[in-house]
Amino acid sequence: MNNISKFLSLSNNVKLFNEWIILVAITIVLFLASCKSQPEPMAAAPAPSLPVITISESSEQTFVDYPAAIQGASDLEIRPQISGTIDRIYVNEGQLVSKGQLLFQISELPFRAQLNNAKAALQAAQAAVLNAQLEVDKLTPLVQNKVVSAFQLQTAKTAHQIALANVEQAKASVNSAQINLTYTQIKAPIGGYIGRLPKKQGSLVGPASPEALTQLSDAHEVHVYFSLAETDFINFNTKYQGKSVADRIKHLPAVSLVLADQSVYPIEGKIDMIDGQFDKTTGAITLRASFANTKGLLRLGNTGKVRLALDHDHIMLVPQASTVEIQDKVFVFALADSNKVKKQAITIVGKSGTNYLVKDGLKMGEQIVVSGLDRLQEGVVIVPQKAVEKIAKN
């Protein structure tokens, strides 16, 4: 029995020893596995190579377009100066007429009758003058011989003066009737193009008619009206200085007219009028440019855009692709010390081709990154490379 007990005790010890060995082995395996699963430290990423350009000053010209309305140099409503019936219309809508050309004929029958009556009244008045003069001549010697009183002679002379006045009044009536008769012929006061003809032959017309007979537009020269907002007008005055408005107008450059089909009118115009005040409703001021229209290409009512040229001296060009817009501000990545990039806000005053015209925010000689901006952050170190492409100009 003792031997059996010893054997059992020895077996238990061996079993415990084996379990302890297995536990140690498992622990070692787990430790080694955990050591292998730890990531090896990564090497630092190399600095990216990005193209940069050097900022330099330049002189550029840009253009600004303003919506415009076109009017003839003289746009007139043709209205009758007498009341009557249209006998004949001598022109067609859209016809080019010359100054003094007959346009309408109003029936002259009543006005010719008035003239005849006025002439007859004049002849009667002239006859009354002769009769009064005869009375004066008859009484003069009788008064001298004291046959009749001087009062009778004075009365006769007064009647003679009245008769002379009646003659002048009759002459005025004749002139008025002659003028009214000439008004039956309505002629073109200027040369130009005829507008619509709402009245037809046989229509009753008069000075108080709500609708004109037609409109006549002198299109040999056209006036193009456009407006500048207050800020634009301040910049305009700053750019083109002068002692007075007239002096400033003299030194303004020529302007172009962009038509509705985006084509440019072949003849340049000149700004010749600046309104004296701003429109209270729109907050804008009106300017006028005049264009020659010898071929009649422009008509009253045409629309287009007046194109102003602006010269920019000592301006910096920055490609649009090298900028980032954040909250209505435009930034570039400029190269700082140790090839670190810094984000700088710039002030843009216009565009030229694919470039921004920059007034402030950069200095001549500074370098900016032109591409790969999506990989950049403030303070990132780069390897600057000279850009292959040059700044594109117009």
Side-chain angles (χ1 to χ4, degrees):
M1 292 294 293
N2 290 333
N3 292 333
I4 295 173
S5 296
K6 291 180 180 180
F7 177 78
L8 292 175
S9 177
L10 181 61
S11 298
N12 290 333
N13 290 336
V14 172
K15 185 178 181 180
L16 290 173
F17 178 77
N18 291 336
E19 290 178 353
W20 182 81
I21 292 297
I22 293 171
L23 181 62
V24 171
I26 291 172
T27 302
I28 293 173
V29 170
L30 292 175
F31 175 76
L32 293 176
S34 64
C35 291
K36 290 182 179 181
S37 64
Q38 293 292 331
E40 296 181 359
M42 296 179 63
S49 297
L50 296 175
V52 299
I53 60 171
T54 303
I55 299 299
S56 60
E57 289 185 344
S58 176
S59 296
E60 293 292 321
Q61 186 179 66
T62 59
F63 300 93
V64 183
D65 293 346
Y66 296 94
I70 299 174
Q71 297 183 10
S74 297
D75 297 321
L76 305 178
E77 286 187 341
I78 305 300
R79 292 181 176 272
Q81 293 180 278
I82 55 172
S83 296
T85 303
I86 297 178
D87 255 359
R88 190 172 178 183
I89 301 175
Y90 293 92
V91 292
N92 294 317
E93 294 176 342
Q95 180 178 337
L96 177 63
V97 298
S98 57
K99 182 178 180 180
Q101 183 174 337
L102 183 60
L103 307 179
F104 302 91
Q105 176 68 57
I106 294 177
S107 177
E108 64 178 21
L109 294 179
F111 301 99
R112 190 167 294 281
Q114 291 177 7
L115 177 60
N116 292 336
N117 288 334
K119 287 180 177 179
L122 175 60
Q123 291 176 354
Q126 289 172 338
V129 170
L130 293 177
N131 189 45
Q133 184 64 48
L134 289 174
E135 187 66 17
V136 171
D137 293 342
K138 181 183 75 172
L139 293 175
T140 299
L142 294 176
V143 171
Q144 291 174 352
N145 294 326
K146 297 182 180 181
V147 176
V148 296
S149 66
F151 178 77
Q152 289 179 302
L153 178 59
Q154 190 61 37
T155 302
K157 288 182 177 180
T158 301
H160 181 262
Q161 292 297 322
I162 294 173
L164 290 175
N166 289 336
V167 168
E168 295 302 319
Q169 188 176 17
K171 287 181 179 179
S173 296
V174 170
N175 290 335
S176 178
Q178 286 177 333
I179 291 173
N180 286 337
L181 182 61
T182 59
Y183 284 160
T184 60
Q185 291 187 338
I186 301 176
K187 298 180 180 181
I190 59 173
Y193 290 93
I194 295 292
R196 298 292 301 275
L197 297 173
K199 301 295 184 181
K200 306 303 179 185
Q201 186 174 348
S203 299
L204 180 64
V205 297
S209 298
E211 194 171 24
L213 296 178
T214 189
Q215 286 188 331
L216 183 59
S217 176
D218 179 6
H220 293 92
E221 183 183 54
V222 296
H223 294 325
V224 181
Y225 293 87
F226 63 102
S227 299
L228 296 182
E230 188 172 357
T231 303
D232 291 339
F233 187 64
I234 293 173
N235 294 334
F236 179 84
N237 286 331
T238 303
K239 189 67 178 178
Y240 305 110
Q241 297 181 354
K243 296 180 180 179
S244 63
V245 174
D247 184 44
R248 187 180 301 115
I249 288 176
K250 289 180 181 178
H251 296 89
L252 292 178
V255 296
S256 300
L257 178 62
V258 181
L259 302 179
D261 63 352
Q262 303 306 313
S263 64
V264 179
Y265 184 63
I267 302 175
E268 289 186 328
K270 179 71 175 176
I271 296 176
D272 55 9
M273 188 279 293
I274 300 176
D275 201 348
Q277 60 185 1
F278 282 85
D279 188 305
K280 294 181 180 179
T281 305
T282 62
I285 191 168
T286 300
L287 286 77
R288 184 185 74 189
S290 296
F291 291 81
N293 189 33
T294 53
K295 295 183 178 180
L297 298 179
L298 303 177
R299 296 293 181 91
L300 169 67
N302 276 147
T303 58
K305 296 178 182 178
V306 170
R307 175 168 291 175
L308 297 181
L310 298 177
D311 293 323
H312 303 272
D313 298 326
H314 308 295
I315 204 74
M316 292 173 285
L317 293 180
V318 171
Q320 297 182 37
S322 66
T323 62
V324 178
E325 187 172 348
I326 302 175
Q327 296 181 349
D328 297 331
K329 291 185 178 181
V330 179
F331 296 86
V332 295
F333 285 96
L335 200 61
D337 296 336
S338 303
N339 290 338
K340 291 182 179 180
V341 295
K342 60 179 179 178
K343 191 162 54 177
Q344 291 184 188
I346 58 176
T347 303
I348 297 172
V349 295
K351 293 181 180 180
S352 176
T354 59
N355 304 311
Y356 283 133
L357 275 60
V358 177
K359 182 180 180 181
D360 294 314
L362 289 172
K363 295 181 181 179
M364 192 174 67
E366 280 192 283
Q367 292 183 314
I368 63 170
V369 181
V370 294
S371 64
L373 307 185
D374 54 335
R375 294 176 285 168
L376 288 182
Q377 293 181 354
E378 183 82 19
V380 170
V381 177
I382 68 167
V383 178
Q385 300 291 331
K386 186 176 181 181
V388 176
E389 297 182 358
K390 296 181 179 180
I391 296 178
K393 296 184 179 181
N394 282 341

